[in-house]
Amino acid sequence: MAILNKIRQRSLFLILVIALALFSFVLADLFKNSSGFSSKSQSIVATINGEDIQRDAFMNKVEAAQRQFGNSMTSTQAMNRVWDQEVRSNVLKSQYDALGITVERDKMRDLLKQGLVGFEEFNNEAGVFDENKLNEFIANLEAIQPETTLLNGSPINFEAWSNYEQNLAVSGREQMYMNMVKAGVVATLAEGETDHKLENDKVDVKFVQIPYGTIADSAITVGKSDITKYINNNKSKFEVEASRDIYFVQFIEEPSLEDEEAIKADLLALLDDRVEYNENTKQNDTILGLLNTKNPEEFVNSNSNRVYNDNFLYKDKMPLEIQDTLYKLNVNDTYGPYKLGPDVMITRILETKQLPDSVKVRHILIPFIGANAADATITQTEEEAKVTADSVLAIVKRSSSKFPELVTALSSDKGSIEKGGEYDFHPYGSMVPEFNDFTFEGNKGDIDVVKTAFGFHIIEILDQKNF
């Protein structure tokens, strides 16, 4: 107790000594690595194991962490979390590479099965995980990108799925590495001898215990030499590895009010037609604006940071801030400029339509050579597959009872064969565009051949609901 009191009395002195030592350590490192003041260092947050951590990539991960945890995490907490992840990831990666640990296709399939075994979308009629359904789901995501579909009730697109697979591969490598470490941890001979002695060497001991609390602090005098002697005799208890504190500054890049007003002015200018001089023809050309353009897709892709999306958008899928306003507009009406999140937009209504919120269908898929997900057994050309599809269409139109039989005999969509080719009620945008347009814009009872990236589908609309 006396020793602790003496140390407490000198705590301020010890803090000053430690602070000066750390400050000199950081200064020495900065002057040693003069590149810390160079232009290159401004784009690099740190270097871990020889790998530069780029500022833009680091900040993107910080923003993603803040979006994930919302108001429960501050900017500083998000940065510290991402920094810890970067250090761990780079250190472990060097170990993986040195050992040649990789996640190959079979291992990835096992990891996906473990992670998705509880998802109904990938189970067959018996409730067992079906890899064919997983393959079909991934191929469909790639075909409709960048559009989203639902997985276990949550929206997901191909980019998000790719990130999920990458994270799963990282987890798989770490799992294999940790298993190897555990397998290599065994007891040494010295540990065995010690355990043997502890179990078998028995002695009788008599002792008297005098608690420290029974001795008054004033009865013990501890001098500086006593503290020095104790430290010298117990150096191992006071040894620490060299470390450093890192301080960083966050620069938030946000547009000023003047920037936003300038963008709004540019958007308003895009509404109306304008005249431009053509150097090639030596004449004035009239460039149609957003109000009069005959090709909205080309116009949007030429002037917007967002790619044109030709799908209809349900009211409840619109951003909450603007859904009531946009829903009341008529065809060719415009709204804006308005700010939505980080973007400034202007909107023109091209078309309105009453659509069901979900449909139930059945289909037969006839693939051809080169179609998505077509395996090596497919030998029909595109022209031959179209002839087959038309023949099947004629049969099922005459006798719809033969539909399930033809599904079993001809369809390559393994995910729906067991259900007679049926897909139960599913939302708008969950299928590839051509399939989606026919089933949602058609009527109940319609049946026809529809070509998609997967081949020719003979599709029958069984039901539609909630228009």
Side-chain angles (χ1 to χ4, degrees):
M1 294 292 289
I3 293 175
L4 292 176
N5 284 334
K6 292 296 183 178
I7 292 176
R8 290 193 190 103
Q9 293 172 8
R10 293 169 172 78
S11 59
L12 180 59
F13 174 75
L14 292 174
I15 291 171
L16 289 174
V17 170
I18 293 170
L20 288 172
L22 286 174
F23 183 66
S24 62
F25 176 79
V26 173
L27 279 181
D29 186 72
L30 286 175
F31 285 112
K32 180 180 179 181
N33 301 288
S34 58
S35 61
F37 299 101
S38 68
S39 59
K40 177 183 177 182
S41 68
Q42 296 177 10
S43 64
I44 297 174
V45 175
T47 301
I48 304 172
N49 260 7
E51 293 288 335
D52 290 338
I53 306 301
Q54 297 295 328
R55 176 178 174 271
D56 290 342
F58 182 81
M59 293 308 300
N60 288 339
K61 292 180 180 178
V62 172
E63 291 172 5
Q66 287 182 291
R67 286 196 299 270
Q68 179 182 355
F69 291 94
N71 295 330
S72 64
M73 176 177 286
T74 65
S75 297
T76 301
Q77 289 172 331
M79 287 186 177
N80 288 333
R81 180 185 179 87
V82 172
W83 171 253
D84 291 341
Q85 291 173 345
E86 289 294 316
V87 172
R88 175 184 174 85
S89 174
N90 277 273
V91 171
L92 286 177
K93 181 179 181 298
S94 66
Q95 298 299 309
Y96 304 152
D97 294 341
L99 295 172
I101 299 176
T102 60
V103 175
E104 303 299 333
R105 177 182 175 83
D106 291 343
K107 178 63 176 178
M108 176 58 75
R109 288 295 168 175
D110 290 340
L111 292 172
L112 287 171
K113 182 177 180 179
Q114 293 172 16
L116 303 172
V117 69
F119 287 58
E120 293 183 2
E121 290 92 334
F122 305 125
N123 291 343
N124 57 23
E125 292 290 341
V128 178
F129 183 84
D130 189 339
E131 188 171 330
N132 291 324
K133 288 194 173 185
L134 173 62
N135 293 336
E136 179 188 345
F137 178 80
I138 298 173
N140 184 57
L141 266 184
E142 185 173 10
I144 67 172
Q145 64 174 315
E147 300 303 314
T148 62
T149 187
L150 293 179
L151 177 59
N152 201 29
S154 301
I156 187 172
N157 57 21
F158 186 71
E159 181 182 0
W161 177 267
S162 299
N163 291 335
Y164 170 71
E165 286 193 346
Q166 292 175 6
N167 293 334
L168 201 60
V170 172
S171 299
R173 293 177 75 185
E174 181 174 341
Q175 182 182 17
M176 287 189 286
Y177 179 76
M178 293 305 176
N179 288 339
M180 292 173 64
V181 173
K182 290 178 181 178
V185 176
V186 296
T188 64
L189 181 60
E191 289 172 330
E193 291 175 349
T194 301
D195 287 342
H196 179 78
K197 289 181 179 180
L198 291 175
E199 290 293 330
N200 297 282
D201 292 353
K202 307 295 184 181
V203 295
D204 291 330
V205 177
K206 294 181 180 180
F207 64 92
V208 176
Q209 180 183 5
I210 303 177
Y212 287 118
T214 62
I215 303 174
D217 289 348
S218 58
I220 304 298
T221 301
V222 179
K224 184 177 179 180
S225 59
D226 296 318
I227 297 176
T228 302
K229 181 180 179 181
Y230 177 81
I231 293 175
N232 289 334
N233 293 337
N234 298 273
K235 287 183 178 181
S236 61
K237 295 182 179 180
F238 301 96
E239 290 179 353
V240 295
E241 295 183 3
S243 62
R244 67 180 64 183
D245 291 331
I246 297 178
Y247 296 87
F248 52 82
V249 179
Q250 179 183 7
F251 295 93
I252 301 177
E253 300 175 359
E254 293 182 345
S256 65
L257 182 61
E258 291 77 9
D259 294 331
E260 291 182 12
E261 293 301 322
I263 293 174
K264 289 179 180 179
D266 291 340
L267 286 174
L268 287 172
L270 289 173
L271 283 175
D272 300 320
D273 302 344
R274 67 184 188 276
V275 176
E276 289 186 358
Y277 181 74
N278 190 320
E279 288 289 348
N280 295 325
T281 63
K282 305 302 181 183
Q283 294 180 347
N284 289 330
D285 291 341
T286 299
I287 309 299
L288 298 180
L290 180 61
L291 289 174
N292 299 316
T293 181
K294 306 302 180 186
N295 190 337
E297 179 175 1
E298 180 182 350
F299 186 90
V300 169
N301 289 338
S302 299
N303 294 283
S304 174
N305 287 335
R306 292 196 179 185
V307 178
Y308 182 81
N309 180 0
D310 196 37
N311 287 332
F312 285 94
L313 190 64
Y314 289 87
K315 180 182 178 181
D316 61 359
K317 301 300 181 184
M318 297 178 186
L320 185 63
E321 304 95 308
I322 59 171
Q323 61 179 216
D324 288 332
T325 301
L326 294 185
Y327 201 68
K328 295 175 183 177
L329 297 179
N330 298 315
V331 174
N332 287 327
D333 284 352
T334 61
Y335 173 64
Y338 59 92
K339 188 175 181 182
L340 187 64
D343 301 322
V344 181
M345 303 181 176
I346 196 164
T347 298
R348 173 187 166 193
I349 304 300
L350 296 178
E351 185 180 354
T352 61
K353 181 176 289 189
Q354 288 292 109
L355 296 175
D357 72 349
S358 58
V359 298
K360 180 179 180 180
V361 301
R362 62 179 178 178
H363 81 131
I364 301 168
L365 175 58
I366 309 296
F368 51 83
I369 298 173
N372 283 1
D375 58 36
T377 63
I378 304 303
T379 58
Q380 286 194 110
T381 65
E382 182 175 339
E383 292 76 14
E384 291 169 340
K386 179 65 166 65
V387 172
T388 301
D390 290 338
S391 300
V392 174
L393 176 65
I395 295 172
V396 295
K397 277 188 173 181
R398 289 196 304 269
S399 177
S400 61
S401 62
K402 293 186 177 181
F403 205 105
E405 175 186 336
L406 292 169
V407 168
T408 304
L410 299 174
S411 182
S412 69
D413 180 10
K414 295 181 175 60
S416 65
I417 288 179
E418 294 180 359
K419 299 180 179 180
E422 283 192 14
Y423 276 106
D424 206 354
F425 286 101
H426 54 275
Y428 185 87
S430 58
M431 297 295 187
V432 290
E434 301 86 355
F435 195 110
N436 182 82
D437 293 346
F438 176 78
T439 56
F440 279 84
E441 297 182 27
N443 300 309
K444 179 180 177 180
D446 286 354
I447 180 170
D448 207 345
V449 174
V450 176
K451 180 187 175 184
T452 73
F454 294 92
F456 292 96
H457 305 254
I458 299 89
I459 306 174
E460 181 180 5
I461 303 175
L462 298 177
D463 201 2
Q464 299 172 321
K465 64 181 182 180
N466 298 333
F467 279 79

